[in-house]
Amino acid sequence: MNHNRDPEKIKGMFDRISPRYDLLNRLISLGLDMSWRKRAVEMIGTVESETVLDLCCGTGDFISVFHKRYQERLNIVALDFSAGMLTAARKRFSEKKYPRLLLGRADAMSLPCRDESIMGVTIGFGIRNVADRPMALREIYRVLKPGGRLVMIEPSQPPGKIMGPLFSFYFKKISPFIGGLIGGDKKAYKYLNDSFVAFPPPDKFLEMMQAARFEKTKAVPQTFGTAMIYYGEKPIRPF
Ligand SMILES: C[S@@+](CC[C@H](N)C(=O)[O-])C[C@H]1O[C@@H](n2cnc3c(N)ncnc32)[C@H](O)[C@@H]1O
């Protein structure tokens, strides 16, 4: 499938859906996304006093999970290329209330971070939208400290004769319908579903992570396989 991941179009689309993104996210994932995020933060390991990066941060759901777990005992950098999503994130997380949070505009393919400065990177439902995923993975590898971890969540096609078709129907028909009804942008939600179909299967995506030199890579299915948590580490000795 030729799925167009033109960064300008994607940026505009996220700008448009940003005001209602949180509500829709909860509805479409039936509230399960927050439990997946908690698991992802646990998989990042103990990062007290360190700096973590939430990439493609959107409205900042990962910020709240990190903050609940560590309060002010952690620096959080949250980056996204959509101004609309960042505005929504800034409304939720003011710099006054979150003094150790830095919210900024950046493209995942060119990170404004020093080499080996970050202990953990999370991406929630973002990597599938990035135009050049191998380039983003190489950038993440560059900014991670040796021993640092990358954890990503993406929806996934569950196996089985019941869950498989049920999930396809839900993703193809129900979620664009909800997106159109509440978000007023059926096209955007149709795009999000198409981008899911165009995302490589877990074994191929793990190969992409390995090609970017990540080690101990794994794909951990969540909730009957409807989502996948991807994990990889930058080796302590990257030689
Ligand atoms: C589906 S939303 C997910 C937002 C958030 N991570 C979450 O879990 O709810 C995808 C986000 O990725 C951002 N994004 C897509 N491509 C990007 C890129 N190349 N660089 C930075 N952000 C990007 C979009 O602007 C959007 O906010």
Side-chain angles (χ1 to χ4, degrees):
M1 181 184 186
N2 180 19
H3 185 252
N4 186 357
R5 276 179 280 139
D6 174 351
E8 284 312 309
K9 276 195 185 146
I10 293 175
K11 222 184 277 179
M13 184 197 80
F14 279 111
D15 283 344
R16 286 200 311 280
I17 64 173
S18 58
R20 292 196 175 176
Y21 179 78
D22 285 336
L23 171 65
L24 277 163
N25 214 6
R26 286 302 97 71
L27 280 174
I28 287 171
S29 78
L30 308 174
L32 290 166
D33 62 305
M34 284 315 264
S35 63
W36 302 334
R37 282 176 221 278
K38 273 187 208 144
R39 220 156 288 150
V41 164
E42 289 311 316
M43 287 171 77
I44 284 284
T46 305
V47 278
E48 197 147 326
S49 313
E50 293 281 354
T51 301
V52 291
L53 165 64
D54 182 36
L55 198 50
C56 303
C57 66
T59 60
D61 278 334
F62 260 118
I63 299 172
S64 71
V65 180
F66 272 120
H67 195 263
K68 251 191 202 135
R69 169 86 167 76
Y70 292 98
Q71 288 84 45
E72 296 305 322
R73 305 187 307 276
L74 170 82
N75 299 314
I76 305 172
V77 179
L79 302 174
D80 199 288
F81 74 176
S82 153
M85 292 300 238
L86 285 171
T87 302
R90 285 200 176 98
K91 275 190 195 149
R92 289 176 72 190
F93 306 97
S94 70
E95 279 170 12
K96 244 188 183 170
K97 241 176 113 187
Y98 296 85
R100 295 186 72 174
L101 166 68
L102 193 76
L103 269 162
R105 198 166 173 196
D107 195 307
M109 295 178 289
S110 169
L111 296 175
C113 309
R114 278 185 292 113
D115 293 359
E116 307 200 336
S117 56
I118 308 279
M119 202 57 211
V121 175
T122 49
I123 310 184
F125 314 99
I127 191 71
R128 78 174 188 276
N129 299 301
V130 174
D132 190 335
R133 295 177 197 127
M135 189 188 272
L137 290 171
R138 286 195 298 273
E139 268 296 83
I140 295 165
Y141 188 93
R142 175 184 71 75
V143 304
L144 272 176
K145 289 183 180 179
R149 297 173 180 183
L150 165 63
V151 180
M152 295 170 278
I153 311 174
E154 279 299 331
S156 184
Q157 175 68 46
K161 284 188 182 144
I162 298 173
M163 277 310 282
L166 209 81
F167 181 83
S168 296
F169 178 73
Y170 183 75
F171 225 78
K172 277 187 202 140
K173 301 285 177 202
I174 310 275
S175 83
F177 177 74
I178 301 174
L181 202 70
I182 295 171
D185 201 329
K186 193 170 172 182
K187 235 169 108 185
Y189 281 85
K190 169 133 186 3
Y191 161 81
L192 286 175
N193 299 344
D194 290 349
S195 69
F196 159 70
V197 176
F199 192 68
D203 54 335
K204 293 279 169 236
F205 188 60
L206 289 177
E207 277 172 23
M208 202 182 277
M209 290 176 72
Q210 288 149 13
R213 294 160 60 198
F214 283 95
E215 291 190 358
K216 298 187 186 166
T217 54
K218 57 184 173 185
V220 187
Q222 307 293 309
T223 322
F224 307 113
T226 53
M228 205 57 87
I229 296 185
Y230 292 97
Y231 173 93
E233 286 180 26
K234 178 165 176 168
I236 305 255
R237 284 173 174 273
F239 312 111

